[in-house]
Amino acid sequence: MVYESTISFTLDTICPWTYLGLRRLQAALSQFRNSNPSAPITYTVKYLPYQLYPDASKEGEDKYEWYKKSRYGDSEEKMKMYIGLMTAYGMSCGIDFKFGGTVANTLDAHRVIQHYQEEKGPEVADKLVFSLYSQYFENEKHPSSLDTLLTATTVAGIPGADAKAFIDDEYEGLQDVKMLIREQTGNGVDSVPHIVIEGKRRDITLTGAKEVAEYVKALERVMKESS
């Protein structure tokens, strides 16, 4: 009998480390499936919401200046070091990080992810999440504007009228998302990515953006312990 494992991936769509972690996890899943074509286990990624900056406004502020002031003491030198580091990390897994644009509240982005993940399943959720990441980090788009969210839903194959109606109703799904965020906090999550790979005998928790090889090792361990 095949064991169906859920990988709970807690993220915020304005966190570059979650984008790196997700790209590396997807690469690890691809390697695992290629190396274990008859594995008695399947893995499905389920996204869970977290807000690193819940007090951010919907309108937002300049991303570059915000990072420089809030994270690097308004130091241009430290900001340049950060850009160099993230650029190199991004290139290693196909991400073209850019550092302009707007940082803003992500609650509406989480509403969209959770609603359509529940309604349409993991493949649609994957497309939504990767589109939101790409728009924000590689194309300097607002993280949760109507245009950004509609672009993501279009990429995911969701009819425009349906998507716009959901997005425009800012209260639909809102309490569910807030409850999930509170649950994550209650579970001890205080940074992202936070990844839990469900196993038959035990779960494996990985915090931070790990290397591909470490994710592969965890996937193989869960397979062995679940057979």
Side-chain angles (χ1 to χ4, degrees):
M1 180 179 291
V2 174
Y3 178 68
E4 298 177 354
S5 170
T6 296
I7 301 175
S8 297
F9 191 101
T10 304
L11 59 83
D12 196 359
T13 56
I14 56 171
C15 174
W17 300 103
T18 58
Y19 193 14
L20 281 170
L22 184 57
R23 279 289 185 93
R24 291 172 179 176
L25 176 62
Q26 292 290 354
L29 284 165
S30 180
Q31 285 188 27
F32 173 84
R33 288 162 181 157
N34 288 336
S35 300
N36 302 277
S38 301
I41 190 169
T42 62
Y43 290 108
T44 301
V45 177
K46 179 181 180 181
Y47 299 105
L48 294 170
Y50 188 81
Q51 282 198 289
L52 291 169
Y53 315 112
D55 296 328
S57 69
K58 281 194 173 186
E59 295 75 18
E61 56 188 292
D62 184 87
K63 185 200 300 184
Y64 184 95
E65 290 299 321
W66 182 87
Y67 263 97
K68 187 175 72 169
K69 290 177 181 177
S70 68
R71 304 298 296 275
Y72 299 106
D74 210 20
S75 168
E76 194 70 40
E77 182 180 355
K78 290 181 180 178
M79 188 63 188
K80 287 180 179 178
M81 290 175 63
Y82 167 75
I83 288 173
L85 177 69
M86 296 309 296
T87 298
Y89 278 144
M91 288 177 63
S92 71
C93 55
I95 300 172
D96 182 18
F97 277 119
K98 293 186 174 66
F99 301 90
T102 302
V103 61
N105 196 288
T106 55
L107 205 53
D108 283 332
H110 287 303
R111 277 201 310 120
V112 169
I113 294 167
Q114 293 304 312
H115 175 75
Y116 288 110
Q117 178 172 250
E118 183 69 22
E119 184 178 271
K120 296 187 178 295
E123 290 185 7
V124 167
D126 283 342
K127 291 175 182 177
L128 285 170
V129 169
F130 276 106
S131 176
L132 290 168
Y133 274 137
S134 178
Q135 288 186 75
Y136 180 69
F137 285 112
E138 301 183 76
N139 295 282
E140 300 181 333
K141 301 296 185 182
H142 188 288
S144 54
S145 69
L146 178 60
D147 285 347
T148 298
L149 298 178
L150 285 176
T151 296
T153 52
T154 298
V155 168
I158 299 163
D162 292 349
K164 189 174 187 304
F166 173 77
I167 295 165
D168 283 345
D169 184 352
E170 62 184 31
Y171 294 105
E172 188 171 357
L174 180 62
Q175 293 307 314
D176 291 337
V177 166
K178 287 184 174 181
M179 181 185 69
L180 286 170
I181 292 172
R182 287 195 298 269
E183 284 181 0
Q184 293 306 95
T185 302
N187 290 335
V189 176
D190 59 5
S191 63
V192 286
H194 183 92
I195 302 170
V196 179
I197 306 175
E198 180 185 51
K200 186 179 288 187
R201 286 176 51 193
R202 60 170 177 151
D203 299 341
I204 293 179
T205 300
L206 299 161
T207 57
K210 305 301 185 186
E211 296 294 335
V212 172
E214 189 165 349
Y215 289 134
V216 171
K217 184 178 179 181
L219 296 170
E220 291 177 340
R221 185 182 307 136
V222 170
M223 177 183 67
K224 290 176 182 177
E225 293 181 356
S226 301
S227 59

